Amino acid sequence: MKTLALVIKLGIIFSLNTALSTDWGYNQTNGPEKWAELDDSYKKCSTGKSQSPININTQITKPSKDKLAIKYYADSTHIINTKHSVKLNFAKQSSISFNKNNYKLIQAHFHTPSENKINNKSFPLELHLVHQDNKGNLLVIGVFFNEGNFHNELHKIITNIPSGKYETKPLKNINIKQLLPEKNGYFSFTGSLTTPPCTENVQWLVLKDQLQASKEQIHALNKIMQNNARSIQPLNHRTIYSID
Ligand SMILES: [Zn+2]
């Protein structure tokens, strides 16, 4: 009988964990401070030593010698309204090369307000372009948006966001190049995914040049995603590299 009771108890604990694991978010009960407690596989969210996002203190950067070449093409995509963000999944036509390594663009998503900061300055919107090499290594390019001019390509995305949570919709000919600033100057550092499971060894490139989106566009994205920025994580012993 004792064994049976234990099995039932474990079963309840297990199903509770499973339910919670899919339930991370940004409110008081399931937000960033609680992520590590929600699921064993999220432990890195609190024990990790090179977590993202970070504040980029431009006074302590070192010069970078790594070349960045971006080869983005107009691509068909799927747009998804996840519970946490607005996400585009790509057909892997676009790629970049960084430090002689090739990465394919796999997805892009947004955060309001920005997650990374520059000299403690936050931006109203940050785009994350997620890339993967053939060994599975991740590289994320972060692009900041300031409030300003209406952005045409962003408009295509916003007007096609499915209304239902987790609903997916095809989106043809999105010109992802338009979601990049003109110049490739960047800050680079190692970090993590900014959402559970907070996996580390992610190569980050935050572009120095910034884009503009209208107040209404930023508001429209925020209305759907709510505030989905994790707070700044300690830099610890990491070095931030910089190139213009
Ligand atoms: Zn992100």
Side-chain angles (χ1 to χ4, degrees):
M1 271 313 275
K2 249 186 179 170
T3 322
L4 182 64
L6 184 68
V7 168
I8 292 168
K9 208 172 165 187
L10 283 174
I12 292 165
I13 293 167
F14 180 75
S15 38
L16 264 176
N17 272 340
T18 322
L20 285 169
S21 71
T22 53
D23 234 349
W24 65 268
Y26 294 90
N27 65 34
Q28 274 198 336
T29 52
N30 68 3
E33 305 309 316
K34 304 276 181 200
W35 287 348
E37 298 163 29
L38 298 179
D39 191 292
D40 277 351
S41 66
Y42 299 171
K43 283 270 185 295
K44 272 269 178 277
C45 301
S46 75
T47 61
K49 292 282 178 270
S50 56
Q51 289 286 295
S52 287
I54 60 160
N55 173 47
I56 298 163
N57 178 349
T58 58
Q59 300 298 309
I60 57 158
T61 60
K62 290 190 175 155
S64 168
K65 292 186 186 81
D66 294 325
K67 284 245 157 53
L68 167 66
I70 301 179
K71 288 164 267 177
Y72 279 1
Y73 302 99
D75 201 351
S76 293
T77 176
H78 278 89
I79 184 164
I80 303 156
N81 180 358
T82 73
K83 217 169 147 189
H84 317 292
S85 188
V86 168
K87 191 167 115 179
L88 306 172
N89 279 341
F90 294 103
K92 298 186 186 175
Q93 314 265 20
S94 297
S95 65
I96 65 155
S97 85
F98 178 69
N99 194 13
K100 293 177 191 158
N101 202 6
N102 282 302
Y103 298 83
K104 291 204 156 130
L105 175 66
I106 54 173
Q107 57 110 322
H109 61 268
F110 297 92
H111 295 269
T112 49
S114 74
E115 294 204 298
N116 293 295
K117 292 182 183 177
I118 295 184
N119 298 328
N120 293 311
K121 181 185 188 285
S122 171
F123 298 82
L125 175 64
E126 184 175 356
L127 166 68
H128 286 162
L129 297 148
V130 184
H131 306 74
Q132 195 170 37
D133 72 5
N134 55 17
K135 291 185 197 114
N137 299 308
L138 294 172
L139 181 153
V140 183
I141 294 183
V143 182
F144 295 125
F145 285 74
N146 290 296
E147 197 183 298
N149 295 332
F150 181 86
H151 192 293
N152 282 321
E153 212 65 18
L154 201 58
H155 181 69
K156 267 195 222 170
I157 295 170
I158 291 169
T159 50
N160 279 288
I161 299 170
S163 52
K165 294 278 182 204
Y166 298 111
E167 202 183 313
T168 301
K169 207 165 136 182
L171 182 59
K172 279 185 184 162
N173 272 324
I174 188 85
N175 192 357
I176 201 72
K177 245 192 234 175
Q178 301 296 322
L179 291 168
L180 283 174
E182 268 175 48
K183 291 185 218 146
N184 278 0
Y186 62 77
F187 296 106
S188 73
F189 49 91
T190 53
S192 72
L193 299 178
T194 65
T195 55
C198 305
T199 314
E200 297 192 323
N201 296 316
V202 175
Q203 175 67 56
W204 276 87
L205 302 175
V206 171
L207 299 187
K208 292 183 177 181
D209 212 6
Q210 294 151 15
L211 295 176
Q212 291 186 8
S214 72
K215 190 179 180 177
E216 291 72 24
Q217 290 181 307
I218 293 164
H219 181 74
L221 280 168
N222 183 254
K223 204 178 163 195
I224 292 159
M225 309 190 300
Q226 307 290 312
N227 287 9
N228 63 347
R230 187 188 192 194
S231 59
I232 293 297
Q233 302 295 304
L235 186 63
N236 295 323
H237 298 295
R238 285 176 282 175
T239 304
I240 304 171
Y241 296 92
S242 163
I243 190 167
D244 285 332

